[in-house]
Amino acid sequence: MSLFEGVKGNHYEIRELCVEEAITRRLQALGLNDGTVVTILNRKKSGALIIRVRGTRLALGRHICQGIKVEERADEG
């Protein structure tokens, strides 16, 4: 499933980044790597998601969220 399909408050483990190479490199620099656990904090009407990754809050647009493949986690870690 993609991160965009995720539910607010749930935890997800990143499995694959399927976006343009430049965006992939930027996301990896921000700590969004395979195996990283993220939490969806909020969903904006515009389609953007606010997530928590490694203690930092990030806002990601719909296009990017749709390209991040994740797997649901029962807990944070």
Side-chain angles (χ1 to χ4, degrees):
M1 75 184 279
S2 72
L3 184 60
F4 186 75
E5 299 171 66
V7 178
K8 178 180 170 182
N10 288 3
H11 308 288
Y12 299 92
E13 183 174 338
I14 296 176
R15 288 295 174 205
E16 185 180 7
L17 299 175
C18 303
V19 290
E20 294 82 14
E21 188 175 338
I23 295 173
T24 298
R25 285 194 307 266
R26 180 66 176 140
L27 292 174
Q28 289 172 336
L30 291 168
L32 292 165
N33 300 300
D34 293 354
T36 301
V37 176
V38 300
T39 304
I40 297 178
L41 300 177
N42 203 356
R43 181 179 298 274
K44 299 294 183 180
K45 290 181 183 179
S46 64
L49 291 181
I50 309 297
I51 64 168
R52 173 170 288 129
V53 57
R54 300 180 187 211
T56 302
R57 290 172 22 143
L58 294 175
L60 300 175
R62 168 183 259 157
H63 171 74
I64 294 173
C65 291
Q66 289 174 332
I68 300 175
K69 304 305 177 195
V70 296
E71 181 177 291
E72 189 166 2
R73 292 284 301 253
D75 61 356
E76 238 182 291

